[in-house]
Amino acid sequence: MTTVLDGILDGVLEDLAQRQREVSLAELKARVADAPPARDPLPGFRADGVSIIAEVKRRSPSKGALADIPDPAKLAAEYAAGGAAAISVLTERRRFGGSLADLDAVRAEVSVPVLRKDFIVTEYQLWEARAHGADLALLMVVSLDGGLLGDLYGLARELGLTPLVETHTEAEIARAAEIGAEVIGVNARDLTTLNVDNSVFTRLSPLIPAGAVRVAESGVAGPDDVADYHRHGADVVLVGEALVKSGDPRDAITRFRAV
């Protein structure tokens, strides 16, 4: 049975093939060699209280258009001013309206760590992430079968990237733990159906190994949701829709961090 995630990945691979025709892996490697070192997000993630990863997000497969973001760099600057520990930039084009140009713009504007959030299933995409200034990269266990998860995790670390290893089930938590993931996310949204259940984090958080950073993803409408995630063990909460629709993202982050 074809899932929502399968359809997304088909589009991701088509777009990836086009980028590979335009920019060689050798060119990406040369850019990475000349790039400054990646920033370490772990001190911010391990700080007292709850940390926020604030997301630049125009669209979503479940809700369609969320916000007109003509200047992602300006939005990122507001996030940083509000105290975001990191900024997530969606670079998937078809379902989320993102691009690597958004990542470039945000990287040039802010000094906080930046996450490339995309459906990363190849080594090329990790080289892309680092070449465009990302400090973190999303690795979704659900889309990385067999040894691919460990292979991509290893390359990400070699490149200086901090992988955010995303899970949604007990089995996926086990796979993340097996490769020694330092930052483990639990997505309340099931990417095969797009259904959201915030209780997934409550149930899975205790299974995350001691010492790993716990990241709660999806299902945040306001400060109460952030507080609930934090109460159930979240060190970090990733927030997108609630911020881009808030009207005052700097103030919203300040309120989220005050829970």
Side-chain angles (χ1 to χ4, degrees):
M1 178 179 175
T2 300
T3 68
V4 174
L5 179 60
D6 292 330
I8 293 173
L9 288 173
D10 287 344
V12 165
L13 292 173
E14 288 180 16
D15 290 344
L16 171 61
Q18 178 61 36
R19 295 198 306 276
Q20 288 176 305
R21 287 191 288 270
E22 296 171 353
V23 180
S24 70
L25 180 58
E27 183 177 342
L28 289 179
K29 289 183 175 182
R31 290 171 60 179
V32 170
D34 291 337
R39 295 159 174 81
D40 183 1
L42 292 182
F45 289 173
R46 297 189 189 278
D48 292 340
V50 63
S51 299
I52 301 296
I53 300 176
E55 192 155 83
V56 177
K57 183 177 186 179
R58 292 186 174 88
R59 299 177 52 83
S60 78
S62 60
K63 296 191 177 180
L66 298 174
D68 181 28
I69 305 176
D71 189 346
K74 182 178 179 180
L75 177 60
E78 289 294 297
Y79 287 163
I87 295 169
S88 170
V89 182
L90 275 153
T91 58
E92 195 278 336
R93 177 180 67 86
R94 301 188 185 203
R95 305 293 184 100
F96 293 90
S99 68
L100 287 167
D102 287 348
L103 183 58
D104 290 334
V106 170
R107 171 74 292 156
E109 180 67 25
V110 301
S111 59
V112 298
V114 175
L115 163 70
R116 182 190 183 182
K117 192 175 183 189
D118 209 319
F119 298 81
I120 294 176
V121 292
T122 69
E123 293 187 353
Y124 182 93
Q125 290 164 291
L126 290 174
W127 285 100
E128 273 186 326
R130 189 77 272 276
H132 286 268
D135 308 293
L136 303 97
L138 182 70
L139 296 179
M140 296 184 297
V141 177
V142 68
S143 61
L144 300 172
D145 295 332
L148 184 56
L149 174 63
D151 291 345
L152 292 183
Y153 186 89
L155 176 60
R157 299 303 297 141
E158 288 177 21
L159 295 177
L161 291 164
T162 298
L164 167 53
V165 181
E166 180 179 293
T167 67
H168 184 72
T169 66
E170 292 181 14
E172 290 174 7
I173 291 277
R175 290 186 64 203
E178 185 179 3
I179 63 170
E182 290 185 279
V183 182
I184 298 178
V186 175
N187 196 341
R189 187 182 305 280
D190 182 343
L191 291 176
T192 63
T193 64
L194 301 184
N195 294 331
V196 176
D197 178 0
N198 286 26
S199 70
V200 171
F201 182 83
T202 303
R203 178 168 54 83
L204 296 183
S205 177
L207 304 179
I208 295 175
V213 172
R214 295 168 167 85
V215 183
E217 304 174 49
S218 299
V220 175
D224 288 347
D225 295 311
V226 175
D228 189 60
Y229 277 144
H230 186 45
R231 185 164 55 250
H232 287 96
D235 304 298
V236 183
V237 179
L238 190 152
V239 188
E241 179 181 348
L243 290 176
V244 299
K245 296 174 69 174
S246 69
D248 189 342
R250 182 189 302 198
D251 177 69
I253 291 176
T254 301
R255 288 185 289 109
F256 291 168
R257 294 177 63 226
V259 300

